[in-house]
Every structure is written in C-alpha cells, then in structure tokens.
Amino acid sequence: MKFTVAIDGPAAAGKGTISTAVAAHFGFAHLDTGLLYRAVGRKTLLGHDAVMAAKTLAATDLQETDLRTPEVAQAASKIAVLAEVRTALVDFQRNFAARDGGAVLDGRDIGTVICSDANVKLFVTASAEVRAERRYLELREKGHDVSRETVLADVKARDERDSQREAAPLKPAEDAIMIDTSDMSIDDAVKTAIEMVQTRLKPSNRT
Ligand code: DC
C-alpha cells in the first residue's frame, strides 16, 4: 500500500511530534526532511560547498549529533534558499514517499512540491511567540545557553527566510488542512492529526 502524509509548517509548530506520533500510530515510515537541510547546513559551517554537500549527502550525515543546534538551524535555512540544493534533495525524498507501507514526511514544501499528490496534507502552525517559547524550553533543557529574545529573533528570521524565498517557499498547499497549535495541547494536536489521516485511509475516501 502506498499512502503519503505530508506535514508542513514553520519551525517549532509541533510538526516533528505530530509526524512521529502519526507514523507510530499507523506503522508508517517517517522522514524529517529538515534533517537533510540541517546536514547540508552543518557541512557549510565546516567549510564545504552547499550544492556539493547536497549532491553527496550520505545516510551517516543524518546521524550527526549536532544537527539540532540553533547555529545549524540557521545555516540550514540559509542553504535551503538555493534551488540547486533543493533539487539535489528531491529524489531522496520522493523515493522515501513512494515506499510500500505508508510514509509521513515533514518539512516546508512537502505538500506543495515534493509530494503534491499526497493522500493527506497537514499544515501545522502556531504564533511565533508560542513557537519561540517552546523552542526556548527545549533548548534550555538540552543545556543550550540561549535567551528568550534570541530564540524569538531566530524563529522570526527563519520564518521570514523560509517563506520569502523563491524556491519552494514555506506555504500551505491549497488542499492542506490547517492545524493551529497555539492554544492546543500537543496531545490534542496529535489526536486531531490522527483522526484526519484515519478519515482519508477509509477506502471510500481514497482517490
Ligand atoms: O524543520 P527544521 O527546523 O529542522 O528545518 C531546518 C531548515 O531547513 C528550515 O529553516 C528550512 C529548511 N527546510 C526546507 O527548506 N524544506 C524542508 N522540507 C525542510 C526544511
């Protein structure tokens, strides 16, 4: 069975948690596509050329332990504006989506570009302030010495760059279902997403 769930949205909206939970619930494979961009961004911080890094990306690059740092996140957002970098990463993502048994991909352009024919498209969002607070708590818990102001500024800078770029900007697909998690518990957001996927999985709703 091929069944693709595309989950897009800005940084720290809850995509990752929702995607992991949806994949676990239905037994689908999950690809956090942000990791591909983070792995390329990380390489540029080490002095590599972004396009070359994207073309030669290996599975081991996705296992580096420092992919979740704020520095790598900003570097990822910067290289993600490059059309050649994005093109180099398309096949890997589409092959993943086409696997048997169902797949969840989360990112910025999954519903609009990578899997424009996905069976379910969700766009998960929340206000910049709520997202920054979540990211701040997450980073502090991991021992990063960051301030609320810096994290909010980082989130806003990434939002701006990710949604204003020419190549595959962050935006909801026309047929995406919006989930605003600003005033929602993560449990409720997960429940909502699972219900939406469940509805589309019913044979009468499959196209
Ligand atoms: O989801 P994330 O925070 O790990 O993503 C890091 C950066 O990678 C994000 O700011 C923009 C870029 N990205 C992208 O352009 N397209 C995707 N499908 C996923 C991430």
Side-chain angles (χ1 to χ4, degrees), residues 8-12 15 32-35 37-38 67-68 72-74 76-81 86 93 106-110 114 135 158-159 161-162 165 167-168:
D8 291 304
K15 297 188 302 287
D32 169 1
T33 64
L35 279 185
Y37 293 89
R38 284 174 183 260
L67 293 176
R68 299 272 174 211
V72 170
Q74 288 298 335
S77 172
K78 286 181 188 159
I79 57 87
V81 305
R86 307 197 68 86
Q93 297 174 83
D106 75 277
R108 303 290 187 291
D109 62 339
I110 309 303
I114 302 296
R135 188 46 57 87
R158 274 215 285 156
D159 282 359
R161 205 182 295 115
D162 294 349
R165 68 181 179 223

Side-chain angles (χ1 to χ4, degrees), residues 1-4 23 26-29 97-104:
M1 176 201 70
K2 296 215 189 334
F3 191 91
T4 311
F26 293 101
F28 296 164
R99 64 175 52 205
D100 252 346
V104 179

Side-chain angles (χ1 to χ4, degrees), residues 71-149:
E71 295 74 28
V72 170
Q74 288 298 335
S77 172
K78 286 181 188 159
I79 57 87
V81 305
L82 303 170
E84 262 189 284
V85 165
R86 307 197 68 86
T87 304
L89 301 175
V90 166
D91 285 352
F92 181 87
Q93 297 174 83
R94 289 202 176 135
N95 288 339
F96 189 95
R99 64 175 52 205
D100 252 346
V104 179
L105 285 83
D106 75 277
R108 303 290 187 291
D109 62 339
I110 309 303
T112 49
V113 176
I114 302 296
C115 305
S116 51
D117 57 354
N119 301 77
V120 186
K121 296 180 188 177
L122 305 178
F123 193 85
V124 183
T125 187
S127 72
E129 286 70 21
V130 167
R131 290 185 287 115
E133 181 65 18
R134 287 181 191 152
R135 188 46 57 87
Y136 168 75
L137 295 173
E138 195 182 301
L139 289 168
R140 293 296 287 215
E141 203 178 295
K142 286 189 192 152
H144 293 282
D145 183 21
V146 287
S147 70
R148 284 197 159 81
E149 294 68 34

